[in-house]
Amino acid sequence: ITRFSWPEMIERIGLAVHPPLYFVLLRLWSGCFGTSLWAMRSLSAALGAATIVAVYLFARDAFSDEGGQPRRQRGVGLVAASLVATSSFQIAWCQQARMYALGTALAVVSAWMLLRALRAERSGGWWTGYVLTAAALMYSHNYGLFSVFAQGCFAAGYLAWRHRERLSGLRRSRSFRWAAGTFAGAIVLYLPWLPVLVRQTGRVRGDYWIDPVHAWTIPNAWFQLFWPRNAYAVPSRPAVAALVAVLAAGLALSVARRGPGRWLALSMALGPVLCAVGVSLSVASIVVPRYFLFAQVFVLCAIADVAFWSLPPPTRGVVVALLLVNSLVIHFAYWDELAIADRPGLRGAAEHVLAQPSTGGPWVVVHPALYHAARFHA
């Protein structure tokens, strides 16, 4: 974001494997706040805060099926927002100068706007907001394509269900026309980047580093999302199976209460996972735990839904408190395991080299993921 002109920056982003929106925003952000580590990472922190607010709004509206009582609606929104705010994996990637906090925020905001658009009588403003946030999501991370696809599947299913008694009238309905035009608009906005995506796909297929998918790839990824570890150790299979069973039960109990918001949350939780598995089996392996951050936030919403609506008030408060305490314990254990003070990483490596007598020779960095960090600290 500092070495190149705008056109060359976009070109070089295309030569990697990501879309350009995050780098555009970071360049604008650093123009205001500088290029220190604090300044550049603060963009992700701000986006993480925006995600918490968006989760509150989404859960408040998606799970409001108890007679429309505002206090109860706000309650489930606050529980969901609290679970996201204390999720260790979400916190970790809100501290990185990477695009994941941006993608998570846009995934939730776009889902919320889609829900409001489908429910509103005069929905033009909501559909406009949705098309812009959906396009921005696709320009933030390639997994955003999976999230938007899941939203499209939900919208089609919801409109078909709403007109199930007279499907012939579906195409004449105002909601259908708005939805069709909106999703077509999002696709049109993304078309300029599509040729770059095709080239990036070929590059990933040819020589990318992600391991092939096997039976435990997805369960292990979800275990990492909820119980992050710094060590490259294979987690216990019974522990992985137990966690996945609990998450599946939470999603099932949530959607069993019915309501379009719950089906949208389920679509956003499972859609990207199913798409990633399909691409991994047919094109190239693309399953990495952090790529599921956009889906994890909706699983946390479903857990909040079950905890809030399925339990009586005294028990509910105890269970929610235990969930939050557990999240914080996991997070601080992970933070202690990182031992950042004792592992200075490339900063320490740069300080060590700079402290040596100068030989005038170049630094040779042998991995592309390390190059920019080494250059920054040098």
Side-chain angles (χ1 to χ4, degrees):
I1 64 169
T2 59
R3 295 187 67 186
F4 308 113
S5 65
W6 281 95
E8 188 173 3
M9 182 188 77
I10 300 298
E11 179 185 0
R12 287 175 176 270
I13 293 167
L15 293 175
V17 292
H18 293 299
L21 180 59
Y22 170 75
F23 301 94
V24 171
L25 294 179
L26 185 61
R27 185 165 184 157
L28 297 173
W29 183 273
S30 64
C32 297
F33 301 105
T35 56
S36 67
L37 284 178
W38 189 96
M40 289 195 291
R41 293 184 179 188
S42 64
L43 173 60
S44 294
L47 291 166
T51 299
I52 296 170
V53 176
V55 165
Y56 166 78
L57 296 172
F58 174 81
R60 181 198 65 184
D61 293 345
F63 306 137
S64 57
D65 61 347
E66 296 294 319
Q69 301 175 32
R71 183 176 179 182
R72 293 172 70 84
Q73 293 174 16
R74 290 194 296 268
V76 68
L78 287 171
V79 172
S82 299
L83 290 177
V84 172
T86 56
S87 168
S88 185
F89 214 79
Q90 295 285 338
I91 294 171
W93 288 98
C94 287
Q95 297 173 329
Q96 303 291 330
R98 301 292 298 276
M99 71 288 298
Y100 299 105
L102 173 62
T104 305
L106 288 170
V108 181
V109 172
S110 61
W112 176 60
M113 288 191 170
L114 175 61
L115 185 65
R116 295 298 297 262
L118 289 168
R119 287 177 170 176
E121 292 294 330
R122 297 184 177 181
S123 54
W126 291 111
W127 283 116
T128 301
Y130 172 73
V131 71
L132 295 176
T133 53
L137 175 57
M138 293 188 289
Y139 273 104
S140 300
H141 193 279
N142 289 331
Y143 262 54
L145 294 165
F146 301 155
S147 295
V148 174
F149 177 74
Q151 291 168 347
C153 291
F154 162 77
Y158 172 72
L159 290 172
W161 172 81
R162 204 163 73 176
H163 294 82
R164 61 191 180 279
E165 296 180 358
R166 290 190 61 188
L167 287 177
S168 59
L170 174 60
R171 288 189 297 175
R172 294 191 298 271
S173 72
R174 186 173 184 178
S175 296
F176 176 82
R177 292 196 299 269
W178 269 111
T182 297
F183 281 99
I187 293 172
V188 169
L189 289 174
Y190 185 75
L191 283 179
W193 191 254
L194 185 59
V196 181
L197 175 66
V198 173
R199 292 195 296 269
Q200 290 177 342
T201 302
R203 192 173 304 117
V204 171
R205 185 190 300 115
D207 57 2
Y208 217 46
W209 51 269
I210 301 176
D211 292 334
V213 171
H214 55 79
W216 286 92
T217 297
I218 299 300
N220 287 342
W222 279 96
F223 188 86
Q224 178 76 4
L225 284 165
F226 281 87
W227 202 299
R229 300 292 305 277
N230 186 48
Y232 286 96
V234 178
S236 164
R237 286 190 175 180
V240 172
L243 176 65
V244 171
V246 169
L247 298 180
L251 289 171
L253 289 172
S254 175
V255 79
R257 294 185 59 82
R258 302 181 182 179
R262 292 181 170 87
W263 282 101
L264 177 56
L266 181 69
S267 300
M268 294 296 288
L270 297 185
V273 178
L274 298 175
C275 290
V277 171
V279 172
S280 296
L281 294 176
S282 60
V283 181
S285 183
I286 58 169
V287 174
V288 177
R290 65 178 178 270
Y291 294 173
F292 291 139
L293 278 165
F294 311 159
Q296 184 203 21
V297 70
F298 292 96
V299 176
L300 292 168
C301 287
I303 293 172
D305 177 37
V306 173
F308 190 87
W309 294 117
S310 301
L311 300 172
T315 307
R316 176 198 309 156
V318 172
V319 170
V320 170
L322 288 174
L323 288 172
L324 297 179
V325 169
N326 180 67
S327 294
L328 291 174
V329 168
I330 290 174
H331 175 65
F332 286 114
Y334 174 58
W335 193 255
D336 288 340
E337 185 186 13
L338 289 176
I340 293 173
D342 300 323
R343 295 171 176 168
L346 282 171
R347 173 179 58 81
E351 291 173 351
H352 174 75
V353 174
L354 292 172
Q356 307 308 309
S358 175
T359 61
W363 292 24
V364 180
V365 183
V366 297
H367 195 289
L370 307 181
Y371 171 77
H372 290 291
R375 180 181 173 275
F376 177 89
H377 290 294

